Amino acid sequence: MEKPDLKFSQLWNLSFGFFGVQIAYALQSANISRIFSTLGADPHNLSYFWILPPLMGIIVQPIIGTLSDKTWTRFGRRIPYLFVGAACAVAVMCLLPNAGSLGMAVSTAMIFGLFSLMFLDTSINMAMQPFKMLVGDMVNEKQKGLAYSIQSFLCNAGSVVGYVFPFFFTLLGIANEAPKGIVPDSVIWSFYIGAAILILCVIYTTLKVKEWNPEDYAKYNGLSEKTGKEGESGNSESSNWLTLLKNAPSTFWKVGLVQFFCWAAFMYMWTYTNGAIASVCFGVDMSDANATMSEAYQKAGNWVGILFAVQAIGSVIWAAVLPKIGNRKFAYAISLVLGGIGFATVPFFSNQYMQFIPFLLIGCAWAAMLAMPFTFVTNALEGYGHMGAYLGLFNGTICIPQIVAALVGGIILSLVGSVQSNMMVVAGVLLVIGALCVGVIKEK
């Protein structure tokens, strides 16, 4: 039986908590390099600190997907994981920015920060993945494009809020400088307020969304009408991950190839934008061991938040354009090309306001990356069952490229003259390669 059409308000409520989750994710992505650089990390080792987030994602999300496929409670099957993940994220968000404020030695503070980052990303992944699954569970194919566009809008709106927090709190008079090895109060308070918004948004979704019971879920997803368990009606695949991957549709792998280049590119943006903007726009000599202690570096850190917010705004605007482009593959590819041009031009704009141009273009790529892959893959997975497990495994196409990019980031940085702004050009090339790979995807 075909899934019923949902009202716009229902589609909105399905994803509203994503707004709060994305604030947490934005604070992490915009400030991790800044935090660890402030604690004393070497730029050539900076990418290694970014291994933990995708590593935890690739471990946690398939587990959450598989467990939630088998979970039936009066609160739902996906929402319990969403709520627990958000609650854990709130606790860790209050710890991470204080890594340098607890009187620990530099090395100890970095280890504390690393473990905090690991738990933060674990909990964010635990809270984030159920939103994708809710759409896959409850939204029909006709409305999936709209559902993921709403999710993309809320994602980017949350990003804007999270990105501008340090800049905003600095304007309010909260200190944006601190002693050596201490994270500024503007960043610490950003994490505190972000944590409060996160839990409120997730509570809203928890109260507003009522998942189907096992019988209704089975009826609308072509599964066993007696149990509602996936894989029991016309579907003989076991829940073993290797078996699922072996039987995955070819679209799963082809979209994954595109994802590899896209997420490697954005890993380098998150890792090196602070150093790139500090040197290109604020005149900071990033080869100086004390560069991160300077007022200019901390100003650059705030400005990076503004630029990431501009990227998110560009993504919101472009997300509204994407559904109007008839050919989804063309829309995906052209978005990535525009993003590649944006990355490649970052080193050539010394005026901080002119940087709005490349980051608006980068937002086009981000909009496509948030919506297009899941549209292609969930459509291809119709009738396969194990939707949660498959989407958890598909998260590997997001995490693995980030891990690979982080492992070789220091080497590539050395090859491009140890100039962090040159890593933006590397990211641009990767996005263009990703755009070329879109051609191998075949739509269902």
Side-chain angles (χ1 to χ4, degrees):
M1 181 179 292
E2 185 178 349
K3 298 173 187 176
D5 286 345
L6 300 180
K7 297 177 183 178
F8 183 86
S9 61
Q10 292 175 300
L11 294 174
W12 177 270
N13 291 339
L14 274 179
S15 295
F16 182 74
F18 207 63
F19 175 79
V21 174
Q22 195 61 30
I23 289 178
Y25 190 72
L27 285 167
Q28 173 187 290
S29 60
N31 292 286
I32 290 305
S33 286
R34 180 181 182 180
I35 289 172
F36 283 105
S37 293
T38 300
L39 292 176
D42 183 278
H44 291 86
N45 298 329
L46 203 54
S47 65
Y48 299 143
F49 293 99
W50 283 92
I51 293 175
L52 277 177
L55 181 61
M56 297 314 299
I58 201 172
I59 295 171
V60 171
Q61 296 215 29
I63 293 174
I64 297 302
T66 301
L67 290 178
S68 65
D69 278 345
K70 302 174 182 178
T71 298
W72 295 100
T73 72
R74 66 190 184 94
F75 301 106
R77 65 191 315 220
R78 316 295 187 187
I79 285 178
Y81 296 93
L82 160 65
F83 189 84
V84 171
C88 293
V90 167
V92 183
M93 286 176 73
C94 296
L95 292 174
L96 175 60
N98 289 295
S101 307
L102 303 176
M104 297 180 285
V106 173
S107 59
T108 307
M110 285 198 186
I111 293 172
F112 177 85
L114 275 173
F115 276 98
S116 297
L117 175 60
M118 179 180 70
F119 286 113
L120 176 59
D121 207 77
T122 299
S123 53
I124 288 177
N125 273 294
M126 189 174 178
M128 187 180 296
Q129 187 68 0
F131 288 106
K132 303 291 185 184
M133 299 174 192
L134 284 170
V135 173
D137 286 348
M138 302 181 69
V139 180
N140 60 38
E141 185 172 343
K142 180 176 65 175
Q143 289 188 305
K144 271 182 185 171
L146 174 59
Y148 282 127
S149 293
I150 291 172
Q151 207 164 89
S152 177
F153 170 80
L154 289 167
C155 171
N156 286 293
S159 295
V160 170
V161 174
Y163 289 146
V164 303
F165 267 172
F167 184 87
F168 174 72
F169 288 131
T170 300
L171 289 180
L172 292 181
I174 296 176
N176 193 48
E177 296 179 65
K180 184 177 181 179
I182 305 294
V183 177
D185 285 345
S186 59
V187 176
I188 293 175
W189 277 99
S190 296
F191 275 78
Y192 289 168
I193 302 301
I197 295 174
L198 166 60
I199 197 64
L200 289 174
C201 290
V202 168
I203 288 173
Y204 177 88
T205 288
T206 301
L207 295 175
K208 288 290 186 178
V209 174
K210 181 174 177 58
E211 296 185 69
W212 290 327
N213 59 39
E215 292 75 21
D216 287 340
Y217 179 85
K219 178 173 64 176
Y220 290 124
N221 287 275
L223 306 173
S224 167
E225 294 187 4
K226 291 183 179 179
T227 66
K229 292 181 181 178
E230 304 196 34
E232 294 187 11
S233 179
N235 189 335
S236 60
E237 295 95 343
S238 76
S239 59
N240 180 278
W241 293 346
L242 291 178
T243 303
L244 292 177
L245 288 173
K246 179 181 177 182
N247 292 290
S250 62
T251 300
F252 181 98
W253 298 107
K254 291 173 180 177
V255 175
L257 176 64
V258 179
Q259 292 269 83
F260 182 88
F261 296 103
C262 294
W263 286 95
F266 274 81
M267 169 58 78
Y268 291 145
M269 181 190 80
W270 296 320
T271 306
Y272 298 109
T273 298
N274 274 274
I277 297 301
S279 60
V280 171
C281 299
F282 290 83
V284 178
D285 180 5
M286 293 306 297
S287 63
D288 184 350
N290 295 316
T292 59
M293 294 176 56
S294 67
E295 179 183 1
Y297 180 82
Q298 296 301 338
K299 283 184 176 178
N302 281 357
W303 194 250
V304 166
I306 297 298
L307 293 177
F308 282 6
V310 169
Q311 171 214 314
I313 292 169
S315 185
V316 169
I317 296 170
W318 192 247
V321 175
L322 282 175
K324 301 181 187 301
I325 301 176
N327 187 318
R328 279 191 289 206
K329 286 175 59 176
F330 175 76
Y332 195 7
I334 194 64
S335 300
L336 299 184
V337 170
L338 290 172
I341 293 171
F343 274 128
T345 54
V346 166
F348 301 101
F349 290 101
S350 58
N351 183 294
Q352 65 191 77
Y353 295 97
M354 290 297 291
Q355 289 287 348
F356 289 172
I357 297 172
F359 278 86
L360 282 171
L361 294 175
I362 292 169
C364 296
W366 185 243
M369 287 167 58
L370 290 176
M372 292 296 183
F374 286 96
T375 301
F376 286 125
V377 170
T378 55
N379 285 346
L381 287 172
E382 289 289 342
Y384 273 72
H386 304 293
M387 179 69 77
Y390 267 120
L391 290 182
L393 291 168
F394 185 68
N395 189 63
T397 68
I398 296 173
C399 299
I400 291 174
Q402 293 181 67
I403 294 170
V404 173
L407 287 172
V408 301
I411 298 171
I412 296 176
L413 178 61
S414 296
L415 292 175
V416 296
S418 296
V419 178
Q420 294 188 50
S421 60
N422 288 345
M423 294 299 288
M424 300 295 102
V425 178
V426 173
V429 171
L430 288 170
L431 273 191
V432 172
I433 296 173
L436 295 174
C437 292
V438 171
V440 305
I441 300 173
K442 291 183 180 180
E443 290 197 71
K444 180 177 176 181

